[in-house]
Amino acid sequence: MSPRARVGILIGVMGLMTLALVGRIFSIAVLSHDSYLAKAKEQQQVERDILPRRGSLYVQDASNGTSVVVAQSIERFALSATPKNVIRKEEYARVLSQISGVEEARLRSSFDKSGWYMEPFMHNLDKSQVEEIAQKIWEIEKAHKAVFKPVNVNFDSAQGDVIHYLGGVFFVREYERVYPETALLGQVLGFVNDKGKGQYGFEGQYDAELKGYAGRVSLEQDSRGTALKEFQQVDGQDGTSYELTIDRNVQQVVEQELKKQVEDSEAKSGSVIVMDPKTGGIIAMANYPSYAPAEFRNLGKDQIGLFDNPSISSVWEPGSIFKPLIMSGALDQGLVTPNTTDVFGASVNVDGYTITTALDKAFGKESMTDVLTNSDNVAMVWLGEKMGNTMMGDYLSRFGFGSQTGIDLKNEISGKVNPPQRWSNILRATTTFGQGIAVTPLQITSAYASIANNGVLMQPHVVKAAISSDGVRTETKVAAGKQVLKPQTATDMRNMLTAVVVHNHKRAGVEGYKVGGKTGTAQVPDPDKPGYIENAYNHSFAGMAPADDPRYVMLVKIDQPNLEKVGRFAEGTAVPLFGRISRFLLHYYQIPPTNK
């Protein structure tokens, strides 16, 4: 081939290459302009969430008139990565494994995947920890490129919830829920799970209000993920905070005393509720055993039941603390007065069943006050016959048995009351002394509170005030109560309950004060067959003080104590516990003595 021909071919090839290049440029610059522009904007413009901060929870401190935080959310960060962008996979896996404790092989496997996202593998990092990890990443990169410039971590909340660093590693803004009082109020508060959702208790009941809602921000960023400017933002809102009716000091004392009594009695469990009868506000609500909300992850599968609050989520046959409530109905209808008398034997037969007094002896001639003082089952059966199914059922309904109280806590149950029209004579008889009916501790507390509050039943609640994210405080409006007993009936009942304490349960009393209440020693139903477990009892005491104008109503319940150690009756467990807490309450609230 001649030189001229070779030159011609070369020129032709170059011309074709030039035409191809021009065509490619035309395609990119003109035909695909919109597509490439969109990709550029996708890399330069991002939208990110601005996480809301969950509302805080506060309780009262009546000793100094302040409130104390018992739950709050503090800013933290999680460590994650974009596998597609992790180039130095082995080095990153080794270093990040040492930092996080996650197995190196597991991280290496995650980095090998070609996805854009992996679940965070380290949580609850504070800013100093974030900076330390960022420094480690920078050192790896710098080792490969000596002139590599460090990038400062930008913690500005305007960056949203994702804080990019480099090398495919980034941090996610999150909030850690902390409980400064550790285990205090565990089952009342509930907890927040790893996905930020409130579970059980108050956290579960008010989850939507507490968590608020996220905002969105649109940012322009450079190739390394560093924000350059913000050009659009949709505001979010932090969650609502709440102040509770619970008093921190009362709650602490109640929890300590309850724990001591349960352990000393070698009982299975126990509960105490303290309520303001005039408002329905819960002053203290304790159960033992319980758990610390921040430690919810550490509970084993066999301990999941601890998440529920037994004060509202479990039932029991209350036994003799039910007698004053039946007596109230009979007094209210004028069937008897506190001084009405009759003679009662040691036993009574109902539909072929023999019902005896607790001591298997006859008390003879008794007034209605004596019936409560002696806790006479036989006399209560007589009273139930006078009332009949319809009247008794009506008063149980008035007091709220068989229905939820409506307390603002998660997982309240309603208990079980059979329809009165289906009661047999024996079921009516046993109901008069608290057997054959299933109630919650809060239902009993609420019913006794109506006696303390001149016959007015208030709705139990734990919210004292709501505090919006901008600091506006809204006090809870206490709903009008329901008149379930005549005021005179309530007065008569308080006097009768005072007589019960004076004559039979002095350990529940407090010197200088009129204290009223009633014990319950209830058999425990057998879960596997009809009837009751042999030598198993739940002890309780429900009462109020000062009895003339009660400042509080309290229920104490001790489940299945060791009878060989404390005896069969509640006098050995629930009564002294009620007395100890009452002494504290009366002095704590500086209530003047009522017996002079």
Side-chain angles (χ1 to χ4, degrees), residues 237-417:
Q237 182 171 296
D238 288 342
T240 301
S241 295
Y242 291 92
E243 185 177 327
L244 308 186
T245 58
I246 303 286
D247 186 281
R248 173 202 191 191
N249 300 310
V250 176
Q251 183 72 26
Q252 285 180 334
V253 169
V254 166
E255 289 191 11
Q256 291 166 4
E257 290 289 349
L258 175 62
K259 179 178 185 291
K260 182 178 185 300
Q261 188 66 63
V262 169
E263 292 179 347
D264 288 350
S265 304
E266 297 178 6
K268 286 191 173 182
S269 56
S271 299
V272 175
I273 303 173
V274 182
M275 178 192 290
D276 182 340
K278 293 180 174 60
T279 66
I282 301 298
I283 301 171
M285 180 179 282
N287 307 286
Y288 183 80
S290 184
Y291 72 102
E295 303 297 326
F296 74 90
R297 302 173 192 83
N298 299 332
L299 267 64
K301 291 183 178 180
D302 60 335
Q303 297 176 295
I304 297 300
L306 288 179
F307 290 151
D308 274 321
N309 179 351
S311 293
I312 63 173
S313 300
S314 67
V315 294
W316 96 110
E317 294 189 7
S320 294
I321 58 172
F322 212 65
K323 292 173 181 174
L325 304 177
I326 301 300
M327 183 70 73
S328 294
L331 290 175
D332 210 49
Q333 289 297 316
L335 299 181
V336 294
T337 71
N339 298 318
T340 297
T341 60
D342 209 319
V343 178
F344 304 102
S347 66
V348 62
N349 186 279
V350 180
D351 290 347
Y353 295 90
T354 299
I355 295 174
T356 66
T357 64
L359 298 178
D360 289 323
K361 73 173 186 178
F363 294 100
K365 185 177 181 180
E366 295 175 286
S367 69
M368 293 301 101
T369 300
D370 294 332
V371 168
L372 293 184
T373 299
N374 296 327
S375 200
D376 190 337
N377 294 340
V378 173
M380 289 303 300
V381 172
W382 170 85
L383 193 65
E385 289 177 352
K386 291 179 72 69
M387 294 181 73
N389 292 8
T390 301
M391 185 184 296
M392 268 185 59
D394 175 55
Y395 275 92
L396 296 189
S397 178
R398 290 191 194 191
F399 285 127
F401 296 109
S403 303
Q404 295 181 11
T405 68
I407 191 170
D408 39 0
L409 291 173
K410 193 77 169 177
N411 296 342
E412 182 186 18
I413 62 175
S414 58
K416 184 177 180 181
V417 178

Side-chain angles (χ1 to χ4, degrees), residues 240-241 466-474:
T240 301
S241 295
I467 306 166
S468 67
S469 58
D470 55 1
V472 177
R473 178 187 174 89
T474 304

Side-chain angles (χ1 to χ4, degrees), residues 81-87 89 111 113-117 168:
T82 302
K84 288 179 70 72
N85 291 344
V86 178
I87 305 301
K89 302 181 187 297
F111 292 158
K113 296 176 182 178
S114 59
W116 288 100
Y117 178 74

Side-chain angles (χ1 to χ4, degrees), residues 149-165:
K149 295 182 180 179
V151 177
N152 293 325
V153 180
N154 187 349
F155 293 104
D156 188 350
S157 61
Q159 292 291 300
D161 67 331
V162 177
I163 299 175
H164 289 279
Y165 193 59

